[in-house]
């Protein structure tokens, strides 16, 4: 009898009150596979239609999707509203850039490399360290103080790079070429680069999915829900939040490394608070604490930006208005909205 | 063994000019249920907060099983066997009842720095949680989000979460708060059963409940213990009747 009870209950545990479960139905799986197929075929289709510009554009979306998803780990699942994610996103971009220009200009501050196999993991590690430092201090505070202190750290790094003339100061710097990956492949080819970015996003999302359903993820969600009680049942919440912050920082760093490669250019603009704000908007619009929230938000916002800027000079105004409208009709994000629509449709 | 499970020595806690805990000393023996009564604002919750580690005391010591725990943070005290329930319900509202309890079980069953295996596949956690959920009489709503429970059920869950940490000493802060007659009776029954298994420090307003459950009663007024004794002794203590029971009657 116990075993039947338990089997009922494991189902219940899987269907966490918010993020998990429920979505284990067939429809999202089919939709996901369809989408993945479309993404895999996309560069060929674009080439056939002679619209290769769009390969770069979609690559950019995928990169922001990764950055926003990493933010969603702390903001969405952990309830830590960081307003400084650009420190890791832009920071990651700079690290790749700094390693790369050592090869061409030999500044002598760092060992230079253009190998993706070295530079990208190094970037993730460096961003993890930076997140550990920033997190260790910021996570001593909560609420508005946390928002302000993460913002302050990010702005410090922004001003640091504005003042570093070696790395182009406020004008930024060109990176000669994209990273090298060997195997006879070149990331300078936009389609190849696209596939590499897509693969990294897919792998990262699989890891995040594991993470949020793991013991650790359970603790993180518990902390968002009621941190005081989590302590009162024996969790050292600070430690868990810090680890979460570090993981998020390192994946934002990876996204930054990709962005630097995409643009073969880095500038302090990647580090400033607009960038952090943009990522927050993506997460909120897509769905806070929803696994795919960051992805959906990145797609919608960058698409809107692209479309609106074609039609009007005042696209920023219209984008802002549209986002405001969307958030009013879908306070739980677009995924939350889709959820409701889907459930209603079934009834 | 003669060392009490909990020994509180001359505890002092001040909030600015207000002394919320004033040279308070108290022992709780293994297996005992000690009730703390006292008017609103007497410092009962403040005392529990110091015992659980949510607040540090300004003076005095807290010994748990002979060890000074006065400076340990909350989570460390939990792992030593101290669990607390809250006067104002503090649960995980979007989690199901079972998940609420499983989260507490998870805390005492090894590290949670595990990032890969799905927690939902850990049968041990679920079985232990289910046993506790059943124990407190919530098995019929085990799958429901905690937010959908009635007030009385949420109070039961509040208690279940504390039990699930596997404590040696339970600190209960007004478990009957806001409950109706029926629910109160059920809660008294439940605590009466828990009493067989846990040492309990019970803060409670409901005098009938206290007289029914307590082995010993301490009366707290303005942060001081003005009397301790058996149920009979406290009932007949004139000072207590004046300071507290009298007030109760006129309310
Ligand atoms: N965090 C705090 N800051 C300042 N004063 C407090 C705080 N917590 C409690 N107090 C005061 O301490 C006294 C005792 O409060 P409390 O322990 O909640 O009483 P009880 O639980 O017995 O009703 C009250 O006068 C209350 O106003
Ligand atoms: Mg109180």
């Amino acid at each position: 009898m116990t075993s039947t009870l338990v089997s009922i209950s494991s189902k219940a545990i899987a269907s966490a009150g918010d993020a998990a479960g429920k979505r284990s139905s067939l429809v999202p799986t089919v939709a996901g596979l369809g989408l993945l197929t479309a993404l895999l075929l996309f560069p060929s289709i674009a080439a056939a239609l002679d619209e290769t510009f769009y390969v770069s554009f979609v690559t950019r979306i995928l990169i922001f999707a990764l950055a926003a998803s990493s933010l969603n780990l702390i903001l969405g699942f952990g309830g830590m509203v960081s307003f400084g994610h650009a420190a890791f996103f832009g920071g990651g971009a700079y690290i790749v850039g700094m390693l790369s220009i050592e090869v061409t200009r030999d500044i002598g501050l760092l060992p230079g490399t253009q190998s993706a196999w070295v530079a990208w993991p190094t970037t993730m590690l460096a961003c993890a360290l930076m997140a550990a430092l920033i997190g260790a201090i910021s996570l001593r505070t909560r609420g508005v103080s946390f928002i302000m202190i993460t913002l302050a750290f990010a702005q410090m790094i922004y001003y640091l790079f504005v003042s570093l003339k070696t790395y182009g100061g406020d004008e930024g710097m060109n990176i000669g070429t994209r990273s090298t990956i060997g195997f006879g492949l070149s990331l300078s080819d936009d389609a190849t680069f696209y596939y590499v970015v897509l693969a990294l996003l897919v792998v990262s999302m699989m890891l995040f999915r594991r993470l949020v359903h793991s013991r650790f993820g359970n603790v993180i969600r518990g902390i968002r829900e009621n941190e005081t009680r989590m302590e009162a049942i024996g969790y050292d919440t600070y430690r868990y939040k810090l680890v979460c912050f570090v993981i998020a920082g390192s994946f934002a760093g990876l996204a930054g490394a990709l962005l630097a490669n995409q643009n073969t250019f880095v500038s302090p603009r990647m580090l400033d608070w607009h960038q952090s704000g943009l990522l927050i908007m993506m997460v909120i619009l897509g769905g806070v604490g929803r696994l795919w929230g960051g992805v959906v938000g990145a797609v919608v916002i960058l698409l809107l930006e692209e479309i609106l800027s074609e039609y009007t000079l005042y696209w920023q105004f219209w984008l802002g208005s549209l986002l405001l409208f969307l958030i009013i009709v879908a306070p739980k994000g677009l995924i939350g909205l889709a959820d409701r629509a889907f459930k209603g449709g079934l009834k | 063994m003669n060392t009490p499970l909990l020994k509180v020595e001359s505890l002092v806690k001040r909030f600015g000019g207000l002394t919320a805990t004033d040279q308070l000393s108290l022992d709780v023996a293994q297996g005992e249920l000690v009730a703390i009564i006292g008017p609103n604002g007497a410092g009962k919750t403040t005392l529990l907060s110091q015992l659980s580690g949510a607040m540090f005391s300004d003076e005095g010591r807290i010994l748990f099983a002979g060890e000074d725990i006065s400076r340990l943070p909350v989570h460390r005290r939990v792992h030593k066997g101290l669990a607390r329930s809250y006067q104002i319900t503090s649960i995980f509202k979007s989690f199901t009842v079972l998940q609420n309890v499983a989260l507490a079980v998870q805390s005492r069953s090894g590290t949670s720095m595990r990032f890969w295996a799905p927690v939902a596949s850990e049968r041990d956690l679920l079985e232990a949680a289910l046993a506790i959920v059943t124990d407190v009489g919530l098995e019929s709503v085990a799958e429901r989000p905690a937010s959908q429970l009635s007030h009385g059920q949420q109070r039961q869950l509040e208690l279940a979460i504390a039990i699930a940490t596997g404590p040696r000493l339970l600190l209960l802060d007004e478990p009957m708060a806001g409950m109706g007659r029926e629910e109160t009776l059920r809660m008294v029954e439940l605590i009466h059963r828990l009493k067989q298994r846990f040492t309990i420090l019970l803060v409670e307003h409901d005098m009938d409940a206290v007289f029914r459950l307590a082995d010993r009663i301490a009366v707290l007024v303005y942060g001081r213990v003005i009397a301790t004794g058996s149920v009979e002794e406290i009932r007949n203590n004139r000072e207590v009747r004046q300071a507290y029971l009298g007030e109760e009657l006129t309310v």
Side-chain angles (χ1 to χ4, degrees):
Chain A
M1 200 199 81
T2 332
S3 79
T4 51
L5 268 177
V6 166
S7 74
I8 295 170
S9 312
S10 22
K11 250 189 299 169
I13 271 246
S15 63
D18 46 319
K22 285 182 252 174
R23 262 146 300 289
S24 59
S25 77
L26 207 60
V27 178
T29 314
V30 172
L33 284 177
L35 188 64
L36 192 60
T37 315
L39 283 168
L40 284 171
L41 295 176
F42 179 70
S44 321
I45 298 169
L49 297 176
D50 227 14
E51 295 278 12
T52 47
F53 158 78
Y54 287 108
V55 175
S56 280
F57 175 60
V58 176
T59 307
R60 183 178 153 78
I61 293 181
L62 298 178
I63 293 171
F64 273 85
L66 176 57
S69 297
S70 73
L71 175 63
N72 207 358
L73 285 184
I74 43 178
L75 190 158
F77 290 95
M80 295 166 259
V81 184
S82 166
F83 205 157
H85 216 52
F88 313 115
F89 191 25
Y94 261 94
I95 293 165
V96 162
M98 286 152 68
L99 292 173
S100 170
I101 64 153
E102 285 289 346
V103 176
T104 47
R105 278 178 26 208
D106 192 20
I107 290 164
L109 290 172
L110 295 166
T113 180
Q114 286 177 328
S115 162
W117 299 101
V118 180
W120 298 3
T122 305
T123 301
M124 287 184 78
L125 201 69
C127 286
L129 277 174
M130 191 159 68
L133 270 173
I134 294 178
I137 297 168
S138 313
L139 289 169
R140 301 259 170 218
T141 67
R142 290 182 199 179
V144 177
S145 316
F146 180 75
I147 298 177
M148 297 313 287
I149 200 168
T150 48
L151 173 62
F153 271 117
Q155 287 301 96
M156 266 170 56
I157 292 169
Y158 167 78
Y159 285 114
L160 176 71
F161 278 99
V162 165
S163 65
L164 281 178
K165 297 292 175 247
T166 321
Y167 297 121
D170 58 359
E171 305 206 323
M173 64 176 173
N174 280 303
I175 309 167
T177 61
R178 287 185 179 163
S179 302
T180 55
I181 52 168
F183 300 111
L185 296 170
S186 166
L187 294 187
S188 303
D189 173 46
D190 280 341
T192 309
F193 184 60
Y194 167 91
Y195 282 118
V196 168
V197 172
L198 179 61
L200 284 172
L201 176 66
V202 169
V203 169
S204 302
M205 292 311 291
M206 276 160 46
L207 291 176
F208 292 167
R209 190 191 157 114
R210 275 280 172 178
L211 183 89
V212 301
H213 291 118
S214 70
R215 270 186 169 227
F216 180 81
N218 209 25
V219 172
I220 286 299
R221 276 183 287 126
I223 291 173
R224 175 189 62 191
E225 184 93 17
N226 188 343
E227 181 166 0
T228 309
R229 191 68 200 249
M230 284 300 277
E231 271 172 30
I233 58 177
Y235 292 101
D236 185 355
T237 56
Y238 176 77
R239 254 177 79 222
Y240 289 96
K241 288 198 296 185
L242 185 56
V243 170
C244 191
F245 198 79
V246 167
I247 293 172
S250 72
F251 278 90
L254 176 62
L258 298 175
L259 190 63
N261 272 279
Q262 157 96 342
N263 300 338
T264 57
F265 175 71
V266 294
S267 90
R269 287 222 325 233
M270 295 173 174
L271 285 163
D272 86 355
W273 65 271
H274 292 98
Q275 188 85 299
S276 301
L278 181 62
L279 294 177
I280 292 179
M281 284 302 299
M282 288 174 174
V283 170
I284 293 177
L285 180 68
V288 173
R290 306 302 298 259
L291 184 63
W292 296 97
V295 176
V296 170
V299 170
V300 172
I301 289 187
L302 293 181
L303 268 178
L304 282 177
E305 189 182 288
E306 185 66 25
I307 296 167
L308 290 174
S309 62
E310 290 256 309
Y311 289 101
T312 158
L313 264 177
Y314 310 106
W315 61 271
Q316 279 173 322
F317 169 77
W318 290 111
L319 180 62
S321 314
L322 248 169
L323 290 180
L324 197 64
F325 170 75
L326 283 174
I327 283 169
I328 289 169
V329 290
K332 295 202 163 164
L334 293 173
I335 296 187
L337 188 71
D339 250 12
R340 252 197 334 200
F342 188 58
K343 258 193 228 150
L346 279 184
K347 268 179 199 156
Chain B
M1 271 231 304
N2 275 340
T3 42
L5 182 58
L6 178 74
K7 188 172 181 62
V8 179
E9 294 178 349
S10 316
L11 224 51
V12 175
K13 178 72 193 177
R14 296 184 198 92
F15 296 118
L18 175 81
T19 309
T21 307
D22 191 0
Q23 293 292 336
L24 188 149
S25 297
L26 182 77
D27 285 1
V28 180
Q30 179 77 45
E32 206 179 14
L33 191 153
V34 175
I36 296 183
I37 61 174
N40 266 327
K44 304 180 295 294
T45 299
T46 304
L47 173 63
L48 287 200
S49 296
Q50 292 167 80
L51 298 180
S52 72
M55 277 176 196
F56 285 157
S57 313
D58 297 319
E59 290 167 32
R61 292 202 306 167
I62 301 162
L63 302 175
F64 187 64
E67 182 193 351
D68 187 349
I69 58 163
S70 319
R71 292 283 130 187
L72 289 187
V74 177
H75 60 92
R76 295 273 307 279
R77 295 187 199 195
V78 176
H79 291 288
K80 297 216 174 277
L82 256 169
R84 171 199 189 163
S85 79
Y86 289 81
Q87 180 175 358
I88 298 163
T89 307
S90 180
I91 55 182
F92 305 94
K93 289 223 166 107
S94 78
F95 285 50
T96 67
V97 168
L98 198 65
Q99 287 168 338
N100 267 272
V101 177
L103 200 52
V105 176
Q106 181 184 329
S107 151
R108 67 163 146 92
S109 69
T111 178
S112 286
M113 286 292 176
R114 289 201 224 147
F115 306 89
W116 188 253
V119 69
S121 68
E122 293 192 45
R123 292 182 62 113
D124 302 358
L125 290 187
L126 292 169
E127 273 172 49
L130 194 59
I132 293 162
V133 166
T134 309
D135 200 20
V136 301
L138 287 175
E139 71 276 17
S140 63
V141 289
E143 322 271 310
R144 230 178 261 171
S147 58
Q148 290 177 13
L149 302 186
S150 71
H151 174 76
Q153 289 171 324
Q154 291 192 349
R155 296 304 290 163
Q156 283 168 283
L157 178 57
E158 172 71 39
L159 193 54
I161 295 171
I163 299 168
T165 63
R168 299 170 65 188
L169 174 65
L170 266 174
L171 308 169
L172 305 182
D173 199 351
E174 304 202 22
M176 286 77 157
M179 282 187 159
R181 199 149 273 301
E182 195 78 353
E183 289 172 331
T184 301
L185 283 179
R186 240 182 297 138
M187 186 57 93
V188 170
E189 280 315 308
L190 175 58
I191 295 173
H192 196 74
R193 268 193 293 124
L194 294 177
K195 197 182 147 174
Q196 321 302 318
R197 287 191 281 145
F198 302 100
T199 308
I200 298 176
L201 186 63
L202 170 71
V203 166
E204 186 46 64
H205 243 82
D206 187 313
M207 288 324 248
D208 293 338
V210 168
F211 289 147
R212 164 99 209 279
L213 291 167
D215 298 317
R216 224 149 45 81
I217 299 176
V219 184
L220 199 64
V221 176
Y222 294 123
R224 283 173 171 277
V225 175
I226 60 160
T228 52
S230 67
V231 172
E232 274 317 298
E233 285 164 350
I234 295 301
R235 262 195 174 133
N236 301 323
N237 184 311
R238 194 182 308 140
E239 211 180 336
V240 174
R241 297 180 72 95
Q242 261 176 0
Y244 185 51
L245 298 181
E247 182 206 81
E248 258 303 273
L249 293 175
T250 56
V251 165

